[in-house]
Amino acid sequence: HDASLPLRCISIAAALCWLLLEMTPLARALIDEQTLRSQPQLISDFETWGQQTRWSQGQLVVSPRRGQALKVPLPATRYAGTKIDHLPRDWTDYTTLGLELFNPERLPLSVILKIEDTRSIAAGYRYDMRYNGELQLLPGWNQFSVPLQIIRTGPETGQLDLEQIVALSLFEIDRKRPGYLLLDNLILK
């Protein structure tokens, strides 16, 4: 009887460790969701667990003088970039979208900022029903402040519904060689 007690303790400890490992992604998601609810203006600053998991591409890296940022791979392909579709939906209380992008290359880089609402997605992701803005990145860190009025009136047909934003993408078109960019501080102001 006494010989089985240490084996039982080891089994319980192993089961608890396994349970903790399995619960880590859920805990990160819950912390991220709480951050979204408590700071609705914050789309991503990559300073809390789980934010990078909302993006289709990218990994967290430590950025000099900025804390953490998302390193977005840019493979040599037609559309290279990343997308987030779990973000605050209602942007009506704000006037601008701020973001910071780092271009590690020696030449400027042209990146498309695409923002979609429920109407543009329901219509089959139509180009003329979403916001498509071009951001020119000089070498190094670039700060952008895009007025939401420009985003609202950006679609060729109609207006973007700022109460129903469902996706934001950043990408480069026709990338010739692999590279990357850093993304940080996506904030509604």
Side-chain angles (χ1 to χ4, degrees):
H1 224 350
D2 290 332
S4 67
L5 184 59
L7 184 57
R8 208 172 318 152
C9 289
I10 291 171
S11 296
I12 290 171
L16 287 173
C17 287
W18 175 82
L19 183 61
L20 285 174
L21 285 174
E22 290 296 315
M23 296 297 290
T24 299
L26 176 61
R28 286 183 177 175
L30 290 172
I31 290 169
D32 185 47
E33 192 65 32
Q34 178 58 32
T35 300
L36 270 176
R37 290 177 196 274
S38 66
Q39 300 175 30
Q41 77 282 5
L42 177 65
I43 296 173
S44 283
D45 67 359
F46 306 106
E47 299 303 320
T48 59
W49 283 359
Q51 286 187 35
Q52 82 277 6
T53 62
R54 292 189 277 131
W55 292 86
S56 63
Q57 299 289 321
Q59 64 184 24
L60 285 183
V61 295
V62 175
S63 169
R65 60 177 235 271
R66 280 189 157 62
Q68 296 187 112
L70 188 70
K71 184 177 182 179
V72 178
L74 300 174
T77 186
R78 174 86 173 122
Y79 300 106
T82 191
K83 176 181 180 179
I84 183 172
D85 55 14
H86 185 65
L87 70 166
R89 289 177 69 119
D90 186 354
W91 293 14
T92 57
D93 290 338
Y94 308 99
T95 59
T96 59
L97 170 66
L99 67 151
E100 298 176 13
L101 294 165
F102 179 80
N103 173 8
E105 300 178 7
R106 291 191 307 258
L107 297 173
L109 182 65
S110 177
V111 173
I112 304 299
L113 170 63
K114 177 175 77 172
I115 300 174
E116 298 169 291
D117 64 5
T118 53
R119 184 180 68 100
S120 64
I121 294 203
Y125 301 91
R126 286 185 33 193
Y127 177 87
D128 63 338
M129 295 178 77
R130 64 184 186 225
Y131 173 78
N132 297 284
E134 187 173 354
L135 304 174
Q136 290 294 322
L137 280 63
L138 299 175
W141 279 104
N142 297 259
Q143 292 185 334
F144 297 96
S145 185
V146 185
L148 292 186
Q149 183 60 27
I150 290 175
I151 291 172
R152 175 187 289 121
T153 59
E156 295 171 12
T157 58
Q159 292 190 355
L160 213 60
D161 183 354
L162 294 182
E163 289 183 40
Q164 296 296 320
I165 301 300
V166 293
L168 181 149
S169 302
L170 291 161
F171 59 93
E172 186 180 11
I173 300 173
D174 292 329
R175 178 98 185 154
K176 302 300 183 214
R177 64 186 187 289
Y180 72 92
L181 61 81
L182 297 181
L183 167 64
D184 202 5
N185 296 323
L186 236 72
I187 299 173
L188 295 164
K189 300 176 185 175

